Structures are given as structure tokens and as C-alpha cells.
Amino acid sequence: MRAFLIIAPDGSLLFEAAGVADILGHANRFCPNADGGAYRIAFAGTQAHRVVHGASGLNLLADHRLADLDPATEWDTIVIVGRGTSEDEGNKVADWVRRAAPNARRVVSICGGAMVLAQAGLLDGRRATTHWRLLDTLQSRFPNVIVERGPIYVRDGPIWTSAGVTAGFDLTLALIEDDYGFTTARNVAQELVMFLRRPGGQSQFSRYVVDLARNPGPIRELQSWILDHLTEDLSVERLAEHVAMSPRNFTRVFSREAGIPPAKYVEEVRLDAARQRLEQGSGSVEQIARATGFGNGLNLRRVFERNLRITPTEYRERFRMLSVA
């Protein structure tokens, strides 16, 4: 039997913690040969009491207070769901996990829990992901983390991290498969009417939030201009000419001000525009490719597959507005 400790900070989405527990609990039904069942699950709250106050107003009564648990206790897997609502809470959880990690076979985070693992130093030099809204924050606050922006979960040695919310369920199925094999994970997925492998690949389909440069000036003005001129020549040379800089100096200044190289910025805003048109409009892939500066459907498909692991047509089928004919 594998002992799981699920740490649920205050303000968590409780269905994340409960969902992980339910998925693991169902695995017990399909592992009759496991000694006492596949998993033993315990919840720990992070407050002075055992009540975890959920973001929705619902509460969960934990089995333990985290402060009462000895970090030297051996757990098969420690799971952190969310990052808490205060800096003090996050510091306490990070400190406990830092001391407990050497005694666990695996340490797992769901959604913002990756911020806690990073704070504990467990992600230094490792690949990791988190909710798409936190990707830039994770990278800027913890530059030693190798942030993966596409996958819904990432495994790097004994550390597993997932993207936001329900991505943690995909990760949990992956843990079951790692522990007890494909057949058990498949049986659990079928029982719970889940995808063992999401259609279109394991991508969180995060909305690219491309921020404008931090400071007012020519780079921010250029970014706004780019958004209105996606079909024009947006090469580095052309953009550098637009702001009267040499290409080399322009690339350096743009990257510093915007936090992203100019070519990558152009690709992301074009991709974002294409995604919106696929979600909201009925134009063909070729028409959308031309309207967003990709030139043709082949180029658009390549960018989609590289960034989202899915084709434009598959993306439209999954995210198209119901009102679009």
C-alpha cells in the first residue's frame, strides 16, 4: 500500500484535493492483489485547526494539522494542492515540504502548488509547470526552474507538477499508471468517465497573455502597433527599422522591456489571434492563417502543433463557440 499525504492550503479549490483522493480511491478497487489496497490517503490542513476553508465557501475537515506531522515520517507521495492565501502560510508549507521531501518517494504539486515547491528549492534545475496564469510568475521569481509552458503535467525525477485545476486529475492517472500499470489506470479512467490520454495531446491550451512592456516608450508603442498590423512584414529587421534601431540593439532592448524576444512575441500574438478566430468565427483555416499573418494553413498548422500539440482543426472542434454555425 502506498501512503499519500495531500496538503490542502486554505483557499484551495477543494474539488482538486477531493478529486485526487477519489481517483486514488477508485484505484483500490482495481488492485485486489495490493496489500490492503493500492493507496492509503490522508489530508493535512495548513491552519491551526483542521478545517480547510475552500475558495467556494465549502469546508473540508482534514485528518491532520500539518504542524503536527513530523517531516521525518516516510510517505510514498506528498501532494500539494494550491499555494495558500497568505505569504506566511506559503512559507510554513514550503519549509515543511523542504524537510519532508527526502523522506518521500515522490513530491507532487497541482496548480499553484508548484510555487510552494519552487520556494522550497525542490524545482531548482528541474522542469516544471503550473497554471498558465502563473507561468511567468514562476519563471521570474524562480529563475532556476525550467518552466514548461505547454504540458498539463511534467515529471522530472521524483518531482511531478501539473497545470491548473483538472490537470491534476490527468497527473493522478499518470501516477497510478506509474505505480500499477496501464490497465489499472485505464480501468480507473473508464470508471470515472475520464480520458486516460486527452485528445489532441497533453497540452493545457493556456491562453497566451502577452503583456505590454513594463515602461511607456517606443517598445510598448510598437507592441500595440503589431497587434493592429499582424498581416504585415513583422521581421526583426522591419520592426527595428520601425523604431529606428539596429536589429541587434532592437532585439536586446525589446527582450529587456517586454520579457520576450521580438520574434517570439510576434508568433504568440499571431497565435492568440488565430485561436480567437477559430473559437469565434467560421472562416476556413486558410482564411484565418492569412488574416493573422501566417500566410497559409501549413504555417499555421506548424505553429499550432509546435506550441499546442494539436492542429487548428482539432482546436476548433474542441473550443468552438456553440452559437457558431
Side-chain angles (χ1 to χ4, degrees), residues 49-85:
H49 43 71
R50 291 194 293 126
V51 177
V52 180
H53 300 101
S56 66
L58 295 176
N59 298 322
L60 181 151
L61 183 62
D63 301 292
H64 308 280
R65 297 188 317 155
L66 188 63
D68 293 336
L69 293 177
D70 184 354
T73 300
E74 292 186 359
W75 297 91
D76 178 85
T77 304
I78 298 172
V79 183
I80 303 175
V81 180
R83 56 176 174 160
T85 56

Side-chain angles (χ1 to χ4, degrees), residues 253-271:
V253 173
F254 189 101
S255 300
R256 184 189 66 218
E257 292 293 321
I260 184 173
K264 185 62 176 174
Y265 176 84
V266 169
E267 180 178 272
E268 289 194 1
V269 295
R270 281 174 166 165
L271 177 61

Side-chain angles (χ1 to χ4, degrees), residues 7 66 71 78 80 92-102 107 116-117 120 122:
I7 302 173
L66 188 63
I78 298 172
I80 303 175
K92 290 179 179 178
V93 177
D95 179 65
W96 189 93
V97 172
R98 182 186 302 110
R99 291 179 289 144
V107 180
V116 177
L117 296 192
L122 300 181

Side-chain angles (χ1 to χ4, degrees), residues 98 153 171-172 284 294 313:
R98 182 186 302 110
Y153 64 81
L171 181 148
T172 304
S284 69
F294 287 104
T313 300

Side-chain angles (χ1 to χ4, degrees), residues 6-156:
I6 302 175
I7 302 173
D10 247 30
S12 304
L13 295 173
L14 294 184
F15 86 105
E16 291 179 342
V20 170
D22 281 338
I23 293 169
L24 295 173
H26 270 73
N28 290 336
R29 300 174 53 187
F30 298 103
C31 292
N33 296 326
D35 184 17
Y39 299 105
R40 175 171 59 85
I41 306 156
F43 283 97
T46 58
Q47 300 296 305
H49 43 71
R50 291 194 293 126
V51 177
V52 180
H53 300 101
S56 66
L58 295 176
N59 298 322
L60 181 151
L61 183 62
D63 301 292
H64 308 280
R65 297 188 317 155
L66 188 63
D68 293 336
L69 293 177
D70 184 354
T73 300
E74 292 186 359
W75 297 91
D76 178 85
T77 304
I78 298 172
V79 183
I80 303 175
V81 180
R83 56 176 174 160
T85 56
S86 70
E87 182 177 352
D88 181 62
E89 181 182 18
N91 291 338
K92 290 179 179 178
V93 177
D95 179 65
W96 189 93
V97 172
R98 182 186 302 110
R99 291 179 289 144
N103 304 305
R105 184 171 68 93
R106 289 182 302 216
V107 180
V108 175
S109 70
I110 295 174
C111 198
M115 302 295 291
V116 177
L117 296 192
Q119 189 174 346
L122 300 181
L123 299 185
D124 287 351
R126 294 188 183 275
R127 297 166 46 250
T129 193
T130 186
H131 190 287
W132 61 269
R133 288 189 183 276
L134 294 174
L135 291 169
D136 289 337
T137 302
L138 179 63
Q139 188 68 87
S140 62
R141 286 188 56 188
F142 304 100
N144 291 330
V145 180
I146 305 169
V147 177
E148 297 279 353
R149 295 176 174 270
I152 57 174
Y153 64 81
V154 172
R155 176 185 185 179
D156 191 326

